Amino acid sequence: MNIVFRNDSSFKIGTGHTRRSLSLAVHLKSLGANCKFVCRNDFGNINDLVRSCNIPLIEFNGNRIEDEINAVRSAFDEENLDWIIIDSYLIDIETETALRPHVSKILVIDDFSDRDHDCDLFLNPSIGTEKLTRSLLPAGCQILLGSKYAMVSEKFIQQSKLPRVQKEKVENVMVFFTSGDDDGETLKALEGLKDLGFKITVVLNDECKTNRTVSNMCTAKNWTIYNYVENMSDLIGSVDLVVGSGGSSNFERCLLGVPAIVSALSEDQINIAEQLSEIGAVIYLGPSKTVATKDYENAVVSLTSKKLKEMSIAGQQLIDGLGVERVSQCIMIVNQDLTKTSK
């Protein structure tokens, strides 16, 4: 089974889509699939991370549909392409339709529920996706909805099996919003936490405009700062609280039972953050542009041991770590049906 994963990562858009797809690719490869990535060569990408997992990656540039088609076709040359798995907000239905003649099946992963798609399998792992408009998808498209399909990496799954004791009060805090451009949110949050006596670990891309200010603050406070973390699961698993963004990375925190205070850096994070807040898995402060330094301080100060425990339990009840296996199984079943039909 030949599969092309089409996604991008960069300083501007972050790395979440590529990381999510990589978790799926690694598992499908273990089942015998031939997986290749097709990604743009944008500044701040994590294409080498994909290659480090022994998965071939083809880089390309260009914004035309023809550029997309040529890049995808080059992945397997004259071999049959069974699947394209698209995880990108930049690829629309026009491009999906244009790719149709070159592939047997298309899987689209999208955290929005209001965009038209031309695909055979549609995945939205966000909770609260029952509002999905069926008419936006073609007849016969199979739909995978909800957090049971949330895909987290094997490292987080293994970390979740280790014993964890939820402390009565917060001592160790991790501040991490994005692997890309945080638009100053890390500094804003740290200003709210700086006088509360916590041991703080910061993860901030060194290209962020506030990096020097944040680094100086960390030095003065004897906090730890990383611009890149090799094993994020270990770091998140070691803290009592995460202050960060409202995106799909929250599913990894939930699996580990780590409470979080979040704001939404972008529109696609709002639904996930709102739904997680509704079930009590996080405290959601709102879109980041509306959140003030004092909001972060007040949110942390208001935490009780009861609230910390409730958030931890709510998160672990939501995510069981089997999303990659479930999605892979659906792909394999559809592929088997396709093989039978073609005989």
Side-chain angles (χ1 to χ4, degrees):
M1 182 167 60
N2 295 330
I3 304 175
V4 164
F5 286 80
R6 178 65 194 93
N7 52 77
D8 298 303
S9 59
S10 71
F11 177 66
K12 181 179 180 180
I13 67 173
T15 63
H17 296 279
T18 297
R19 290 182 183 278
R20 175 165 63 182
S21 291
L22 184 57
S23 296
L24 179 59
V26 168
H27 187 70
L28 285 169
K29 182 182 177 183
S30 73
L31 299 177
N34 298 316
C35 300
K36 296 184 180 182
F37 275 55
V38 173
C39 304
R40 296 182 187 278
N41 186 20
D42 293 333
F43 173 73
N45 68 66
I46 57 168
N47 294 347
D48 283 343
L49 176 63
V50 175
R51 295 187 180 103
S52 72
C53 296
N54 295 318
I55 295 177
L57 183 146
I58 297 168
E59 293 180 341
F60 78 104
N61 295 302
N63 298 311
R64 302 176 306 166
I65 291 180
E66 291 80 2
D67 298 323
E68 292 277 353
I69 293 174
N70 291 335
V72 168
R73 290 184 63 185
S74 70
F76 285 99
D77 295 323
E78 300 301 320
E79 295 182 56
N80 292 330
L81 178 56
D82 298 299
W83 286 91
I84 297 175
I85 298 178
I86 299 171
D87 190 351
S88 173
Y89 301 143
L90 303 178
I91 298 177
D92 58 15
I93 188 172
E94 184 179 2
T95 304
E96 293 163 1
T97 301
L99 288 168
R100 273 281 179 202
H102 309 286
V103 64
S104 298
K105 296 289 182 181
I106 298 176
L107 162 60
V108 169
I109 304 172
D110 195 344
D111 299 304
F112 289 104
S113 297
D114 57 356
R115 302 201 310 158
D116 291 285
H117 288 291
D118 184 359
C119 57
D120 305 282
L121 192 59
F122 177 81
L123 166 61
N124 185 335
S126 303
I127 53 178
T129 50
E130 65 278 356
K131 296 178 181 179
L132 174 74
T133 303
R134 185 65 177 81
S135 60
L136 297 176
L137 302 173
C141 176
Q142 298 187 39
I143 304 174
L144 309 178
L145 298 179
S147 58
K148 67 184 290 186
Y149 297 107
M151 297 183 289
V152 299
S153 74
E154 181 64 25
K155 289 182 178 180
F156 276 91
I157 294 171
Q158 294 305 315
Q159 182 69 31
S160 71
K161 297 176 182 179
L162 300 178
R164 173 180 171 79
V165 178
Q166 183 63 55
K167 296 179 182 177
E168 292 292 314
K169 63 178 183 178
V170 174
E171 297 176 359
N172 300 299
V173 179
M174 177 181 178
V175 178
F176 172 54
F177 284 88
T178 175
S179 298
D181 185 3
D182 76 331
D183 199 25
E185 204 63 23
T186 299
L187 179 59
K188 186 197 297 182
L190 290 174
E191 289 286 358
L193 303 179
K194 66 181 181 181
D195 296 323
L196 300 181
F198 299 128
K199 178 182 177 181
I200 296 179
T201 300
V202 179
V203 181
L204 181 66
N205 191 307
D206 55 12
E207 294 291 338
C208 289
K209 59 187 178 182
T210 59
N211 181 268
R212 178 173 295 183
T213 303
V214 170
S215 295
N216 290 339
M217 182 185 293
C218 289
T219 299
K221 290 288 188 178
N222 199 28
W223 297 338
T224 303
I225 182 169
Y226 300 101
N227 59 40
Y228 177 77
V229 176
E230 183 69 30
N231 198 344
M232 186 66 75
S233 57
D234 289 344
L235 185 54
I236 293 179
S238 69
V239 301
D240 309 315
L241 176 72
V242 171
V243 177
S245 62
S248 58
S249 61
N250 279 283
F251 294 140
E252 297 167 340
R253 301 170 189 159
C254 287
L255 176 63
L256 300 186
V258 179
I261 295 172
V262 304
S263 62
L265 294 183
S266 55
E267 184 181 352
D268 60 286
Q269 296 182 355
I270 293 176
N271 178 61
I272 295 175
E274 288 179 342
Q275 296 295 330
L276 288 174
S277 177
E278 188 173 315
I279 66 170
V282 305
I283 294 176
Y284 175 48
L285 302 181
S288 59
K289 293 187 183 303
T290 70
V291 179
T293 289
K294 195 68 176 179
D295 295 324
Y296 286 108
E297 178 182 355
N298 291 340
V300 175
V301 170
S302 68
L303 286 173
T304 63
S305 59
K306 181 174 181 292
K307 180 62 176 177
L308 288 168
K309 184 176 182 179
E310 288 173 347
M311 282 197 288
S312 178
I313 292 173
Q316 290 181 312
Q317 288 178 339
L318 179 70
I319 305 297
D320 61 9
L322 299 178
V324 166
E325 291 186 25
R326 293 189 180 102
V327 176
S328 297
Q329 184 179 33
C330 290
I331 292 171
M332 300 297 283
I333 291 173
V334 172
N335 198 68
Q336 289 173 0
D337 291 342
L338 178 64
T339 302
K340 292 177 182 178
T341 302
S342 63
K343 289 182 178 180

